[in-house]
């Protein structure tokens, strides 16, 4: 093998890692929702997107379709960066202003609600793609009216529970907090802000204090007893079923119909966060004849360029921007093609030289 052919081979191999890196450096999206107490979207997904049981979940499907429930772990804003109140208008807190999830914003007093009491509580957030970040949980103020659209002013100014990088146990982030005193039907609003990217996730969990019915109209207090045979008044809602978190089987089966993109991070071990992705497949070898017309000049014209965008396009620990991804993929592809062309050109020249020497 001539020195020039060896050099061409080295160049081609040297560019291969760049091509593979460009194909795998897609922006990562975290995914999940609060499951203790159960969020609205988790409760409705657990009931079944195609045949929900509660009146509220049926109404949510009628308003936004079943896809929102299959995408139960995707109520997010990709570039939130802590600007939750600026980006989410009043009345759209539960959907995070995402029209796909608009059914979650319906003002109703019969959303399935978890019974809670003041004091220490262990919260669980089911993460289908775990990442580093911080949780903040807010409780609605006294006088909260679930029949009106949820506004930021309905929430207490400060979170009653916070956690940063809590332990991941059996696929869920688990952390403790102290629930303040409250009465009747209330709502817990969860914000999960990633620290490795600007992405944030949101969840509305309906709860009821005081040992009353988990569903029903009014403030969630115990239903008034009625004489036998007396029908409920027309303005009263039938008690909603107690909410349940999605089972692991339901999560697995529902993933087939989910449109949420994990961009490779869904292949991480959801129970530990460890990487279990297989090595990326090697790039296919370029056809010599297909690249025969490209010469070394093409490779020179595809030299790597400095990214002028700077930090805005820098990949986070497990995330990044789409702009940097496309630049990486495009640049790597160009470099790979140029290297293949150079290799092909050098081989043709060596062959021709051999023929002349005869």
């Amino acid at each position: 093998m001539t020195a020039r052919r060896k050099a061409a081979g080295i160049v081609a191999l040297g560019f291969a890692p760049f091509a593979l890196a460009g194909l795998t450096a897609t922006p990562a999206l975290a995914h999940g929702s609060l499951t203790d107490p159960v969020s609205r979207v988790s409760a409705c997904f657990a009931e079944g997107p195609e045949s929900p049981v509660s009146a509220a979940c049926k109404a949510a499907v009628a308003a936004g379709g079943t896809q929102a429930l299959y995408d139960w772990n995707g109520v997010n804003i990709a570039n939130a960066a802590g600007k939750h109140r600026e980006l989410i208008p009043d009345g759209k807190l539960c959907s995070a202003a995402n029209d796909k999830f608009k059914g979650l914003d319906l003002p109703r007093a019969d959303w399935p609600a978890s019974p809670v009491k003041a004091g220490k509580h262990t919260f669980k957030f089911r993460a289908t793609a775990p990442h580093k970040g911080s949780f903040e949980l807010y409780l609605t103020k006294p006088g909260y009216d679930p029949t009106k659209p949820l506004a930021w002013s309905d929430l207490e100014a400060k979170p009653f529970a916070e956690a940063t990088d809590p332990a991941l146990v059996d696929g869920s982030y688990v952390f403790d907090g102290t629930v303040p005193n409250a009465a009747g039907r209330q709502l817990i609003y969860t914000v999960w802000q990633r620290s490795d990217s600007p992405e944030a996730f949101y969840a509305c969990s309906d709860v009821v204090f005081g040992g009353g019915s988990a569903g029903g109209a009014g403030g969630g207090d115990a239903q008034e007893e009625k004489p036998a045979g007396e029908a409920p008044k027309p303005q009263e809602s039938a008690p909603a079923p107690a909410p349940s978190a999605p089972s692991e089987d339901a999560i697995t089966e529902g993933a087939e119909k989910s449109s949420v993109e994990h961009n490779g991070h869904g292949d991480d071990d959801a129970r530990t966060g460890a990487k279990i992705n297989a090595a990326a497949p090697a790039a296919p070898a370029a056809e010599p004849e297909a690249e025969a017309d490209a010469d070394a000049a093409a490779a020179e014209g595809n030299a790597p360029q400095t990214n002028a965008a700077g930090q805005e396009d820098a990949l986070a620990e497990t995330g990044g921007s789409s702009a940097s991804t496309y630049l990486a993929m495009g640049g790597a592809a160009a470099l790979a093609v140029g290297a293949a062309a150079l290799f092909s050109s050098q081989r043709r020249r060596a062959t021709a030289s051999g023929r002349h020497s005869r």
Side-chain angles (χ1 to χ4, degrees):
M1 180 181 291
T2 66
R4 298 179 68 178
R5 290 180 64 184
K6 288 181 180 178
I10 293 173
V11 170
L13 291 174
F15 283 133
F18 288 98
L20 293 178
L23 292 174
T24 58
T26 54
L29 300 177
H31 301 91
S33 190
L34 200 70
T35 53
D36 187 354
V38 186
S39 66
R40 286 181 182 177
V41 68
S42 296
C44 291
F45 172 68
E47 287 187 20
E50 306 299 334
S51 55
V53 178
S54 65
C57 291
K58 289 179 180 178
V61 170
T66 60
Q67 193 59 53
L69 302 189
Y70 285 116
D71 296 346
W72 64 277
N73 55 349
V75 184
N76 76 319
I77 295 179
N79 298 305
K83 300 179 180 179
H84 318 298
R85 295 175 184 263
E86 297 177 32
L87 297 174
I88 305 176
D90 287 343
K92 297 185 177 181
L93 275 68
C94 296
S95 67
N98 186 331
D99 192 61
K100 176 171 65 174
F101 298 103
K102 61 184 178 182
L104 302 177
D105 290 320
L106 295 177
R108 304 175 62 97
D110 61 351
W111 284 102
S114 302
V116 296
K117 59 182 180 180
K120 183 178 179 180
H121 186 92
T122 299
F123 298 91
K124 295 181 180 180
F125 189 100
R126 180 67 171 88
T128 56
H131 293 283
K132 293 182 178 180
S134 299
F135 293 86
E136 294 182 344
L137 277 63
Y138 298 82
L139 184 66
T140 47
K141 299 176 181 178
Y144 160 67
D145 186 350
T147 65
K148 296 181 180 180
L150 181 66
W152 285 105
S153 60
D154 291 322
L155 304 177
E156 295 287 358
K158 295 182 179 180
F160 69 87
E162 298 178 87
T164 299
D165 298 335
L168 189 66
V169 181
D170 293 333
S172 295
Y173 286 114
V174 179
F175 54 94
D176 292 331
T178 301
V179 179
N181 287 313
R185 174 177 281 268
Q186 300 293 335
L187 183 144
I188 292 176
Y189 191 67
T190 301
V191 177
W192 179 26
Q193 176 62 65
R194 288 176 56 184
S195 58
D196 54 11
S197 102
E199 183 185 33
F201 275 72
Y202 310 86
C204 282
S205 298
D206 297 276
V207 296
V208 60
F209 290 79
S213 170
D221 296 324
Q223 296 289 305
E224 180 182 351
E225 294 186 6
K226 305 182 186 306
E230 182 177 334
K233 296 179 182 180
Q235 67 270 25
E236 292 180 340
S237 300
S244 298
S247 67
E248 293 304 310
D249 287 342
I251 292 175
T252 301
E253 294 174 4
E256 298 178 0
K257 295 184 179 181
S258 175
S259 66
V260 175
E261 291 294 335
H262 288 76
N263 291 327
H265 289 268
D267 295 330
D268 297 351
D269 188 335
R271 298 179 182 276
T272 65
K275 299 293 180 184
I276 59 174
N277 293 348
E287 291 292 336
E289 298 302 323
E291 306 296 342
D293 295 332
D295 55 17
E300 295 175 1
N302 287 310
Q305 300 295 319
T306 301
N307 186 349
Q311 294 183 351
E312 292 183 0
D313 288 324
L315 292 176
E317 180 179 348
T318 51
S321 71
S322 58
S324 61
T325 299
Y326 298 142
L327 287 173
M329 292 180 66
L335 291 173
V337 170
L342 177 60
F343 179 78
S344 176
S345 175
Q346 295 295 340
R347 186 173 65 177
R348 288 198 307 154
R349 290 176 181 175
T351 300
S353 175
R355 289 175 180 173
H356 288 305
S357 63
R358 295 175 185 176

